[in-house]
Amino acid sequence: MNDRVLVVGAGFAGSVVARELADHGHKVLVIDKREHLAGNAYDCHDEKGVLVHRYGPHIFHTNSERIVRWLSRFTAWRFYEHRVLAEVDSVLYPIPVNRQTINSLYGLNLSEEEAQQFLEKVRIDKPVIQTSEDVVLASVGADMCDKFFRGYTRKQWGLELAQLSAGVASRIPVRTNSDDRYFTDTYQFMPLEGYTRMFERILAHPNITTSFGVSFADIEDKDAFKHIVYTGTVDEYYDYCYGKLPYRSLAFEHQHFEQAKPFQPVGTVNYPNTHEYTRITEFKHLTGQDCAGTSVVYEYPQAQGEPYYPIPRAENEALYKQYKQRAEQETRVSFVGRLAQYRYYNMDQVVATALKTAEHLCEVLK
Ligand code: FAD
Ligand code: UDP
């Protein structure tokens, strides 16, 4: 019997568990089928020297002081509050919808109180909120739903708002003040030297060995490990025995422009009704990097490809439950993270669930 723990996946889920176990004296082998650590949060310098996020823009935000404290052991931070505009009929509007969005869309000059009254008039009463369509109609009404949400959602998920759980659209608040920040969490920053550097420090521990370009399937003697922490897709782990869990994928198109001026006025511009891509993100806004040119990423949603998003809807949840029940019976395997728990988690939520798992494992693996 090997005295090591095997961690499958070097993203937030796997790396946080690995570090906690290592700090508590356990020997850990971390593998990832990709050639690098940090999972989807991986960043690197492109050929023009601009720090870019290979798998789309990652902005750290949380209300949890504990999580900030934990991560701050491995990185300093750059204060950054993300802003997003949506292009509708060639005009840019703040997203989430706020007072300014309403005023410029309808040529009004409403105060905060008047904006509230405006929303009261246009919103559609929904006694039960079940789907994302219910959420949007009940908050901003039919017109803004069509302008900002329907098309974007159709592109992003390949589904109608009404086919998605309420939780998807609930991620986006509606405001009647002029706050144009995308997130309002207490802590909003970017790792000062990037996510990859932060992960290198998380995994730099004498009890941790890493091996990249290695898939779980490549591990021959799985029984040799005293425990397995699995952060890949849970349906794949069980050989799709109950059927395939749907995941949404994306294709990322990275481009560089040799210009000193910004490509766009804010970090991200959303395109709800035009183009095949959903949004363009310009990295300089996020990182504050001072360089000659500028690099951006376009996101094209795809049905096939790397599994980036669990798709939150009732029938998928029911299928996941079958896997979850089986997973809960395992004593030698823990399932953690966005893919293994089939949850639309943000990074801070993954850190939270990973810390909880690690705490439990430190108890049972003593
Ligand atoms: P992952 O990062 O996916 O890591 C899992 C790792 O396991 C991967 O590296 C994978 O290669 C490896 N793996 C899988 N299967 C196997 C196997 N069989 N063998 C070996 N290795 C395997 N969150 C935020 O908080 N803010 C944001 O702004 C934000 N933006 C996002 C933008 C995009 C486009 C996407 C897709 C996600 C975004 N997120 C954001 C969510 C964030 O990426 C996740 O919450 C977080 O990265 C999940 O960490 P994880 O470890 O669970 O999964
Ligand atoms: N959304 C939308 N229009 C927008 C922004 C978001 O319709 O301009 C909807 C869409 O369904 C999206 C969801 O709200 O998938 C959540 O958006 P968020 O920005 O949180 O998604 P992320 O890219 O972070 O997963």
Side-chain angles (χ1 to χ4, degrees), residues 10-29:
F12 269 99
S15 300
V16 171
V17 175
R19 179 63 191 227
E20 278 292 297
L21 291 178
D23 281 343
H24 285 82
H26 298 279
K27 299 242 182 293
V28 187
L29 169 64

mmCIF file of all heavy atoms in Angstrom, residues 10-29:
data_model
loop_
_atom_site.group_PDB
_atom_site.id
_atom_site.type_symbol
_atom_site.label_atom_id
_atom_site.label_comp_id
_atom_site.label_asym_id
_atom_site.label_seq_id
_atom_site.Cartn_x
_atom_site.Cartn_y
_atom_site.Cartn_z
ATOM 1 N N ALA A 10 -5.141 19.708 -11.470
ATOM 2 C CA ALA A 10 -4.344 20.735 -10.774
ATOM 3 C C ALA A 10 -4.985 22.111 -10.871
ATOM 4 O O ALA A 10 -4.317 23.138 -10.881
ATOM 5 C CB ALA A 10 -2.931 20.764 -11.342
ATOM 6 N N GLY A 11 -6.325 22.149 -10.966
ATOM 7 C CA GLY A 11 -7.047 23.422 -10.915
ATOM 8 C C GLY A 11 -7.229 23.838 -9.459
ATOM 9 O O GLY A 11 -6.547 23.310 -8.559
ATOM 10 N N PHE A 12 -8.148 24.768 -9.208
ATOM 11 C CA PHE A 12 -8.379 25.226 -7.840
ATOM 12 C C PHE A 12 -8.731 24.059 -6.921
ATOM 13 O O PHE A 12 -8.191 23.944 -5.815
ATOM 14 C CB PHE A 12 -9.511 26.270 -7.797
ATOM 15 C CG PHE A 12 -9.013 27.678 -7.946
ATOM 16 C CD1 PHE A 12 -9.071 28.326 -9.165
ATOM 17 C CD2 PHE A 12 -8.471 28.352 -6.864
ATOM 18 C CE1 PHE A 12 -8.600 29.630 -9.302
ATOM 19 C CE2 PHE A 12 -7.995 29.647 -6.983
ATOM 20 C CZ PHE A 12 -8.070 30.294 -8.218
ATOM 21 N N ALA A 13 -9.639 23.195 -7.361
ATOM 22 C CA ALA A 13 -10.103 22.113 -6.491
ATOM 23 C C ALA A 13 -8.942 21.223 -6.067
ATOM 24 O O ALA A 13 -8.685 21.024 -4.869
ATOM 25 C CB ALA A 13 -11.185 21.301 -7.204
ATOM 26 N N GLY A 14 -8.227 20.706 -7.042
ATOM 27 C CA GLY A 14 -7.154 19.765 -6.754
ATOM 28 C C GLY A 14 -5.992 20.410 -6.019
ATOM 29 O O GLY A 14 -5.451 19.843 -5.054
ATOM 30 N N SER A 15 -5.625 21.617 -6.440
ATOM 31 C CA SER A 15 -4.432 22.247 -5.859
ATOM 32 C C SER A 15 -4.663 22.651 -4.404
ATOM 33 O O SER A 15 -3.759 22.525 -3.566
ATOM 34 C CB SER A 15 -4.012 23.460 -6.691
ATOM 35 O OG SER A 15 -3.712 23.042 -8.008
ATOM 36 N N VAL A 16 -5.858 23.133 -4.098
ATOM 37 C CA VAL A 16 -6.144 23.552 -2.714
ATOM 38 C C VAL A 16 -6.161 22.327 -1.795
ATOM 39 O O VAL A 16 -5.563 22.339 -0.709
ATOM 40 C CB VAL A 16 -7.473 24.339 -2.637
ATOM 41 C CG1 VAL A 16 -7.884 24.580 -1.191
ATOM 42 C CG2 VAL A 16 -7.339 25.668 -3.379
ATOM 43 N N VAL A 17 -6.806 21.248 -2.231
ATOM 44 C CA VAL A 17 -6.824 20.028 -1.404
ATOM 45 C C VAL A 17 -5.394 19.512 -1.224
ATOM 46 O O VAL A 17 -4.971 19.177 -0.117
ATOM 47 C CB VAL A 17 -7.718 18.924 -2.028
ATOM 48 C CG1 VAL A 17 -7.600 17.640 -1.215
ATOM 49 C CG2 VAL A 17 -9.166 19.358 -2.103
ATOM 50 N N ALA A 18 -4.646 19.481 -2.331
ATOM 51 C CA ALA A 18 -3.274 18.953 -2.262
ATOM 52 C C ALA A 18 -2.446 19.735 -1.246
ATOM 53 O O ALA A 18 -1.735 19.146 -0.423
ATOM 54 C CB ALA A 18 -2.617 19.025 -3.646
ATOM 55 N N ARG A 19 -2.541 21.053 -1.291
ATOM 56 C CA ARG A 19 -1.722 21.876 -0.394
ATOM 57 C C ARG A 19 -2.110 21.666 1.070
ATOM 58 O O ARG A 19 -1.263 21.546 1.951
ATOM 59 C CB ARG A 19 -1.866 23.348 -0.772
ATOM 60 C CG ARG A 19 -1.077 24.288 0.124
ATOM 61 C CD ARG A 19 0.419 23.995 -0.010
ATOM 62 N NE ARG A 19 1.209 24.667 0.980
ATOM 63 C CZ ARG A 19 2.330 25.347 0.726
ATOM 64 N NH1 ARG A 19 2.786 25.411 -0.509
ATOM 65 N NH2 ARG A 19 2.993 25.918 1.685
ATOM 66 N N GLU A 20 -3.413 21.608 1.320
ATOM 67 C CA GLU A 20 -3.872 21.404 2.703
ATOM 68 C C GLU A 20 -3.390 20.056 3.232
ATOM 69 O O GLU A 20 -2.918 19.956 4.369
ATOM 70 C CB GLU A 20 -5.400 21.476 2.771
ATOM 71 C CG GLU A 20 -5.941 22.888 2.821
ATOM 72 C CD GLU A 20 -5.600 23.607 4.122
ATOM 73 O OE1 GLU A 20 -6.048 23.145 5.189
ATOM 74 O OE2 GLU A 20 -4.876 24.613 4.058
ATOM 75 N N LEU A 21 -3.508 19.016 2.402
ATOM 76 C CA LEU A 21 -3.063 17.685 2.834
ATOM 77 C C LEU A 21 -1.556 17.696 3.081
ATOM 78 O O LEU A 21 -1.072 17.149 4.078
ATOM 79 C CB LEU A 21 -3.427 16.628 1.789
ATOM 80 C CG LEU A 21 -4.921 16.319 1.620
ATOM 81 C CD1 LEU A 21 -5.132 15.282 0.525
ATOM 82 C CD2 LEU A 21 -5.528 15.812 2.930
ATOM 83 N N ALA A 22 -0.827 18.344 2.173
ATOM 84 C CA ALA A 22 0.635 18.406 2.314
ATOM 85 C C ALA A 22 1.015 19.139 3.606
ATOM 86 O O ALA A 22 1.906 18.697 4.339
ATOM 87 C CB ALA A 22 1.235 19.113 1.100
ATOM 88 N N ASP A 23 0.319 20.236 3.869
ATOM 89 C CA ASP A 23 0.605 20.996 5.099
ATOM 90 C C ASP A 23 0.336 20.154 6.346
ATOM 91 O O ASP A 23 0.893 20.410 7.407
ATOM 92 C CB ASP A 23 -0.265 22.267 5.155
ATOM 93 C CG ASP A 23 0.298 23.382 4.272
ATOM 94 O OD1 ASP A 23 1.476 23.306 3.893
ATOM 95 O OD2 ASP A 23 -0.459 24.326 3.951
ATOM 96 N N HIS A 24 -0.561 19.167 6.216
ATOM 97 C CA HIS A 24 -0.871 18.299 7.354
ATOM 98 C C HIS A 24 -0.067 16.992 7.322
ATOM 99 O O HIS A 24 -0.442 16.002 7.954
ATOM 100 C CB HIS A 24 -2.378 18.008 7.409
ATOM 101 C CG HIS A 24 -3.164 19.192 7.901
ATOM 102 N ND1 HIS A 24 -3.520 20.226 7.074
ATOM 103 C CD2 HIS A 24 -3.613 19.505 9.132
ATOM 104 C CE1 HIS A 24 -4.185 21.141 7.771
ATOM 105 N NE2 HIS A 24 -4.255 20.724 9.028
ATOM 106 N N GLY A 25 0.997 16.990 6.531
ATOM 107 C CA GLY A 25 1.941 15.871 6.595
ATOM 108 C C GLY A 25 1.679 14.726 5.627
ATOM 109 O O GLY A 25 2.396 13.730 5.648
ATOM 110 N N HIS A 26 0.676 14.854 4.768
ATOM 111 C CA HIS A 26 0.404 13.773 3.813
ATOM 112 C C HIS A 26 1.237 13.960 2.546
ATOM 113 O O HIS A 26 1.433 15.082 2.089
ATOM 114 C CB HIS A 26 -1.083 13.756 3.437
ATOM 115 C CG HIS A 26 -1.974 13.493 4.610
ATOM 116 N ND1 HIS A 26 -2.211 12.232 5.100
ATOM 117 C CD2 HIS A 26 -2.662 14.339 5.410
ATOM 118 C CE1 HIS A 26 -3.017 12.310 6.153
ATOM 119 N NE2 HIS A 26 -3.306 13.593 6.357
ATOM 120 N N LYS A 27 1.665 12.845 1.978
ATOM 121 C CA LYS A 27 2.366 12.900 0.695
ATOM 122 C C LYS A 27 1.318 12.849 -0.416
ATOM 123 O O LYS A 27 0.378 12.052 -0.353
ATOM 124 C CB LYS A 27 3.309 11.704 0.553
ATOM 125 C CG LYS A 27 4.395 11.640 1.617
ATOM 126 C CD LYS A 27 5.755 11.754 0.953
ATOM 127 C CE LYS A 27 6.899 11.655 1.932
ATOM 128 N NZ LYS A 27 6.981 12.779 2.859
ATOM 129 N N VAL A 28 1.491 13.716 -1.404
ATOM 130 C CA VAL A 28 0.465 13.853 -2.441
ATOM 131 C C VAL A 28 1.095 13.807 -3.830
ATOM 132 O O VAL A 28 2.120 14.460 -4.071
ATOM 133 C CB VAL A 28 -0.278 15.217 -2.293
ATOM 134 C CG1 VAL A 28 -1.456 15.287 -3.258
ATOM 135 C CG2 VAL A 28 -0.760 15.437 -0.862
ATOM 136 N N LEU A 29 0.462 13.056 -4.714
ATOM 137 C CA LEU A 29 0.829 13.120 -6.136
ATOM 138 C C LEU A 29 -0.310 13.833 -6.863
ATOM 139 O O LEU A 29 -1.459 13.388 -6.806
ATOM 140 C CB LEU A 29 1.015 11.708 -6.722
ATOM 141 C CG LEU A 29 1.147 11.646 -8.255
ATOM 142 C CD1 LEU A 29 2.401 12.374 -8.744
ATOM 143 C CD2 LEU A 29 1.161 10.199 -8.757
#
